[in-house]
Amino acid sequence: MSSSEGEPQLPNRTSEIRKDTVFGRWVVFSPARSRRPSDFKSKNPNPTSNHPTSCPFCIGRESECAPEIFRVPPSTPDWTIRVIENLYPALRRDLNPPDTGSDQAVGACRVTGFGFHDVVIETPYHPITLSDLEPQAVGEVLLVYVERVQQLKALGTLKYVQVFKNHGAAAGASMTHSHSQIMGIPVIPPSVTTRLSCMKENFDSTGKCSICDLQSDQNLMINSSTHFYAIAPFAASYAFEIWIVPREHSSYFHELDRAKAMDLGGLLKLMLQKLAKLLNNPPFNFVIHTAPFDLSPSCVPYSHWFLQIVPHLGTVAGFELGTGCYINPIFPEDAAKVLREVDG
């Protein structure tokens, strides 16, 4: 998109407040100050050419990293993906896991900091980002996530695993080498509990899964593939936020099979390329929202996993902190239209 005089303006809309039935929050859409797509370009793009000579994530420097958990392919120096322990973990795997299910633990405000904090090095080569990889290679990264989540589930000491990626310093990345993270924790995070409660409330009132129902609004659709579709959510909290959603109802990300991972890899690559091209390679986060382990069968009809991409284009300020409501300067219908028109 160009910021020239010929650039199309966004539609003239009045402010609106929408309810997010997945996360249970209200979002204020206030588009008055942003009239063109170029108004949203990142003022703090992620650098792509900075290649420090001391990066421990680069191939050949494996001895400088924290212990390795596994690599792909296994047992070869010519790896494509490595999973390692985080050198500075937020949680400690060498502590005794808390008995969060005991009567004594119910209502407790403090448990031991037991858990797992891993790093997924997505490529051996520093200048390469996730969106630079071939679609199949992105799919292989997703399959590594799946394998590690399955390993953590098998331990029986964790209740939830969060897969996430921070791209750029403004999004929380401390290393410029392309990587993502996996954290396993012994409690169910409050945001996950809230998400499931909100989706249950919608299911009880409509008989529909909130996520499955997203497919019905073509104005929010960006792109689709055989098994997934990418949308701008109806009550997006952030400008140009994207959700990638499985077409088939599925509660658990870690049940993703190879064919679907390859399919998702292509769509994820395309969405990251679109955001980079449209918004000047902005910092971003993506997170995978899945179900807690040992989900009750009664929750399965409304629990649906999805991947959320959030570019960092603004600042969370006092109103958001005070109310829990977000202000979004672009309507998702307009964001979806702009993104549809961007070549990958």
Side-chain angles (χ1 to χ4, degrees):
M1 288 287 177
S2 168
S3 58
S4 67
E5 292 183 4
E7 182 185 6
Q9 289 195 345
L10 297 171
N12 186 21
R13 298 180 185 266
T14 58
S15 295
E16 186 175 307
I17 304 175
R18 294 184 179 183
K19 177 71 177 291
D20 181 345
T21 60
V22 175
F23 292 108
R25 57 194 175 210
W26 290 93
V27 180
V28 177
F29 290 92
S30 180
R33 291 177 292 178
S34 300
R35 303 304 319 139
R36 296 178 177 86
S38 60
D39 293 342
F40 296 93
K41 283 184 178 288
S42 174
K43 306 300 188 295
N44 186 28
N46 189 56
T48 56
S49 58
N50 183 22
H51 183 184
T53 58
S54 59
C55 175
F57 287 179
C58 289
I59 193 165
R61 308 185 74 97
E62 294 83 0
S63 63
E64 301 174 24
C65 290
E68 180 176 297
I69 299 168
F70 66 90
R71 64 174 61 188
V72 177
S75 305
T76 173
D78 298 322
W79 55 271
T80 57
I81 307 167
R82 292 178 72 225
V83 182
I84 64 172
E85 297 180 14
N86 193 308
L87 190 60
Y88 304 103
L91 297 167
R92 296 274 300 275
R93 66 192 72 208
D94 58 344
L95 296 176
N96 291 325
D99 184 8
T100 54
S102 68
D103 292 339
Q104 187 178 13
V106 174
C109 296
R110 179 171 60 187
V111 297
T112 59
F114 166 81
F116 290 77
H117 192 174
D118 303 331
V119 174
V120 178
I121 305 173
E122 300 155 352
T123 168
Y125 305 111
H126 199 97
I128 304 299
T129 66
L130 186 65
S131 61
D132 293 328
L133 298 175
E134 292 297 319
Q136 181 177 350
V138 179
E140 294 292 346
V141 172
L142 296 168
L143 286 174
V144 164
Y145 297 162
V146 168
E147 181 175 353
R148 185 55 181 155
V149 174
Q150 290 174 344
Q151 291 175 353
L152 292 171
K153 180 180 185 297
L155 297 174
T157 54
L158 302 170
K159 291 190 176 181
Y160 192 76
V161 172
Q162 182 65 67
V163 178
F164 63 98
K165 179 176 176 65
N166 304 331
H167 174 82
S174 58
M175 301 283 289
T176 56
H177 193 121
S178 191
H179 69 285
S180 37
Q181 299 180 62
I182 300 174
M183 291 185 68
I185 59 177
V187 296
I188 299 176
S191 63
V192 176
T193 301
T194 299
R195 169 164 52 89
L196 291 176
S197 296
C198 292
M199 294 174 74
K200 180 182 186 303
E201 180 180 343
N202 182 77
F203 182 80
D204 289 344
S205 63
T206 66
K208 298 179 181 179
C209 164
S210 302
I211 302 296
C212 290
D213 203 35
L214 294 172
Q215 303 182 63
S216 61
D217 193 338
Q218 291 301 308
N219 290 323
L220 300 175
M221 195 70 66
I222 302 169
N223 285 90
S224 62
S225 63
T226 302
H227 299 290
F228 296 87
Y229 59 92
I231 63 160
F234 170 77
S237 295
Y238 308 95
F240 294 99
E241 175 181 351
I242 297 173
W243 291 5
I244 303 181
V245 181
R247 290 184 181 276
E248 294 182 6
H249 185 84
S250 175
S251 297
Y252 288 115
F253 166 76
H254 67 261
E255 294 178 347
L256 188 72
D257 63 26
R258 171 166 285 275
K260 291 179 180 177
M262 296 298 113
D263 186 54
L264 176 56
L267 189 56
L268 175 57
K269 173 186 171 72
L270 178 61
M271 292 303 101
L272 296 180
Q273 287 179 319
K274 282 176 176 281
L275 289 175
K277 187 172 184 179
L278 174 67
L279 302 172
N280 194 27
N281 190 25
F284 68 82
N285 302 104
F286 75 58
V287 295
I288 295 175
H289 297 283
T290 186
F293 297 146
D294 301 322
L295 186 71
S296 168
S298 64
C299 301
V300 170
Y302 57 80
S303 176
H304 193 144
W305 77 266
F306 63 98
L307 188 153
Q308 177 190 28
I309 309 172
V310 177
H312 281 247
L313 304 172
T315 303
V316 174
F319 176 78
E320 291 86 352
L321 294 174
T323 65
C325 302
Y326 287 76
I327 298 177
N328 190 335
I330 183 170
F331 276 80
E333 292 85 354
D334 298 334
K337 183 176 186 298
V338 171
L339 285 165
R340 282 195 299 269
E341 296 171 353
V342 176
D343 294 330

